[in-house]
Amino acid sequence: MTETESNTYDVVVIGAGPVGENVADRTRAAGLSTAVVESELLGGECSYWACMPSKALLRPVIAQADARRLPGLAQAVRGPLDTPAVLARRDEYTSHWRDDGQVSWLTGTGAVLYRGHGRLAGPRTVTVTGPDGTGTTLTARHAVAVATGTRAQLPDLPGLAGVGPWTSREATSAKAAPGRLIVVGGGVVATEMATAWQALGSRVTLLVRGKGLLNRMEPFAGELVAEALTEAGADIRTGTSVESVRRENGTVVAVTSAGDRIEADEILFATGRAPRTDDLGLETVGLEPGSWLDTDDSLRVTGTDWLYAVGDVNHRALLTHQGKYQARIAGAAIAARAAGDTLLEEPWGAHAATADHHAVPQVVFTDPEAAAVGLSLAEAEQAGHRVRAVDVEFSSVAGAGLYGEGYKGRARMIVDLEDEIVRGVTFVGPGVGELIHSATVAITGRVPVGRLWHAVPSYPTLSEVWLRLLEAYRDN
């Protein structure tokens, strides 16, 4: 550090992704002075290397797939996608990796932005090393909120360092489609990026260590997505891991556990996330560098009365929308404690992130889409609930046939037989992402199945699948 200055605020937020931005928005709305520290771009991973660019890549893919299911339109979209145009639209949605607009929004709330790397330096103290090496010490009267998120976790593989592997960042920001792409992994990032790049001109080989795709969802979700990816031309190999990888004359060569040698232009590892806490100064407050930060339901770090961990860094639910929900809860809790108010920490109270435990929705934007909220059948049984799974095919719904010829999809509802409420719902099929909020409301509100019978779905829509699920539950 070449120079040091000191400033005091009610709240200091480390990390200005969507989660950190929302914490600052809530604390500023409560009248608390707030400083925000960011080492990269305001808007974080979601805005520039995850949610927004990935969905911008996928939207034309899904739209084309939907159009191909409709007589009268299918012939018009027979050709390949215009990959440069898709990438240009992706660039627009990332603001060409500039954060001017987000800076204007944040400073417009009254928060003060510090560019640089933030580290804890003891209780309620954060040091910021700016891009020019200048040091600033920030002191928080009430709270420090850590919202530093996660980074891609790469495996320890022979030869990997010399390959220049893709992570989710390179996969969502690539300037051209590689001719051949190996995707290692079977989760959300792997399936979405395999879907996108296969449609944009790459020949994709998907290497999955486990038995199938999307193993945190109901088994049929991964099965239907795998079937569609295979039909699109992807080569999916399950029960396969990468033993070594190297580049030979610019070509990636991966050797698998089966002894196969696979060549490609690029290789994407979508094999998990690690918390961005290794250089956060956790050791100065008695915590382990590089660890996930455990919290209570008000998002306050266990064993402290001033430190909060919000978003992916607490490992509660690694989803942008869930992190923003936590930010709203944490911001309200920080403000209440600062004012000396009594917190409403009972389940579903204003200062408790209860949904993290019971109603976490997720949409996988593949073709078909996979959407789920609450517990899967296996999770419900492992939790000791007495439940029944009710399955229906979307072919039983008139709206599915109207959506597209040959519509293929399935829905599952998990019903708690003691409380007569819904514990979980999974939808798989084109366009089902827009259905999942109805299930989220049903689970969050603990709406009795008998009352759901009176929630009449409009005809002819995909949402009529709710009626088919309830009929199947009633009649069996």
Side-chain angles (χ1 to χ4, degrees):
M1 295 184 185
T2 59
E3 181 182 338
T4 301
E5 58 184 68
S6 179
N7 294 281
T8 299
Y9 298 88
D10 292 322
V11 180
V12 177
V13 180
I14 307 177
V19 175
E21 289 176 328
N22 273 265
V23 173
D25 181 54
R26 292 298 83 210
T27 56
R28 284 298 304 133
L32 298 177
S33 61
T34 303
V36 179
V37 182
E38 176 54 54
S39 61
E40 292 188 288
L41 298 174
L42 267 72
E45 206 78 13
C46 176
S47 297
Y48 306 103
W49 302 286
C51 316
M52 297 307 290
S54 67
K55 304 317 171 277
L57 290 173
L58 284 159
R59 179 60 196 141
V61 176
I62 303 305
Q64 183 185 55
D66 285 343
R68 286 175 171 172
R69 297 184 181 100
L70 292 172
L73 183 57
Q75 295 283 40
V77 294
R78 178 173 290 180
L81 289 167
D82 182 343
T83 299
V86 173
L87 297 180
R89 183 171 185 264
R90 182 273 319 270
D91 294 350
E92 290 293 326
Y93 268 87
T94 60
S95 301
H96 298 273
W97 290 274
R98 293 179 58 87
D99 63 2
D100 307 62
Q102 303 228 27
V103 170
S104 295
W105 175 85
L106 181 69
T107 56
T109 69
V112 179
L113 173 63
Y114 289 84
R115 296 275 195 182
H117 179 68
R119 296 183 86 255
L120 295 170
R124 295 183 175 84
T125 305
V126 175
T127 59
V128 183
T129 304
D132 61 356
T134 300
T136 304
T137 298
L138 307 178
T139 301
R141 296 185 186 92
H142 299 293
V144 174
V146 174
T148 49
T150 59
R151 61 167 56 88
Q153 190 169 36
L154 290 170
D156 183 14
L157 278 179
L160 185 61
V163 167
W166 277 14
T167 66
S168 53
R169 285 198 168 197
E170 290 76 20
T172 55
S173 62
K175 299 304 182 184
R180 300 163 298 173
L181 175 65
I182 298 171
V183 178
V184 183
V188 177
V189 172
T191 54
E192 287 190 346
M193 289 299 92
T195 298
W197 290 111
Q198 178 70 36
L200 291 171
S202 300
R203 190 163 71 249
V204 172
T205 301
L206 195 58
L207 304 180
V208 187
R209 181 186 299 177
K211 296 179 180 179
L213 306 181
L214 302 176
N215 63 6
R216 294 190 178 183
M217 287 184 160
E218 299 285 9
F220 65 83
E223 292 165 5
L224 288 170
V225 171
E227 181 181 323
L229 274 169
T230 301
E231 289 177 358
D235 178 9
I236 302 176
R237 307 187 190 187
T238 57
T240 303
S241 58
V242 177
E243 297 295 309
S244 66
V245 63
R246 63 184 183 277
R247 278 199 186 267
E248 295 180 355
N249 299 318
T251 297
V252 175
V253 178
V255 178
T256 73
S257 53
D260 295 328
R261 172 190 164 105
I262 305 172
E263 295 186 354
D265 299 289
E266 301 293 349
I267 185 167
L268 162 63
F269 283 89
T271 50
R273 309 289 297 180
R276 290 179 179 270
T277 61
D278 50 312
D279 190 19
L280 187 60
L282 293 182
E283 68 280 0
T284 69
V285 294
L287 297 171
E288 183 66 28
S291 65
W292 301 99
L293 297 178
D294 294 328
T295 71
D296 62 18
D297 277 357
S298 72
L299 289 312
R300 190 166 58 177
V301 173
T302 305
T304 76
D305 63 0
W306 59 274
L307 184 62
Y308 292 73
V310 192
D312 286 6
V313 74
N314 61 35
H315 209 236
R316 289 167 66 99
L318 276 66
L319 295 159
T320 295
H321 49 270
Q322 215 66 23
K324 290 165 71 174
Y325 160 72
Q326 293 173 14
R328 296 190 292 272
I329 299 294
I334 291 168
R337 288 186 172 119
D341 296 339
T342 300
L343 265 66
L344 303 175
E345 296 183 271
E346 70 280 1
W348 307 110
H351 307 115
T354 312
D356 286 350
H357 309 299
H358 302 291
V360 176
Q362 181 173 22
V363 179
V364 185
F365 292 86
T366 46
D367 176 42
E369 291 177 350
V373 63
L375 301 177
S376 66
L377 175 59
E379 289 169 339
E381 290 176 341
Q382 289 167 8
H385 299 298
R386 191 167 68 88
V387 297
R388 192 173 62 149
V390 181
D391 292 356
V392 299
E393 300 295 321
F394 269 95
S395 58
S396 65
V397 177
L402 288 168
Y403 192 97
E405 296 291 303
Y407 187 106
K408 184 181 293 186
R410 186 180 305 173
R412 170 171 288 181
M413 178 174 67
I414 308 299
V415 179
D416 189 305
L417 297 176
E418 294 180 359
D419 294 335
E420 284 282 302
I421 58 173
V422 179
R423 290 284 181 185
V425 177
T426 299
F427 299 125
V428 182
V432 299
E434 296 299 337
L435 291 179
I436 202 62
H437 191 60
S438 57
T440 304
V441 171
I443 293 172
T444 302
R446 295 177 59 89
V447 182
V449 172
R451 179 60 63 87
L452 285 175
W453 186 251
H454 297 280
V456 182
S458 297
Y459 180 87
T461 64
L462 290 176
S463 60
E464 259 201 312
V465 73
W466 275 106
L467 178 56
R468 299 291 172 260
L469 287 166
L470 293 166
E471 288 172 337
Y473 177 70
R474 179 198 61 185
D475 297 340
N476 294 292

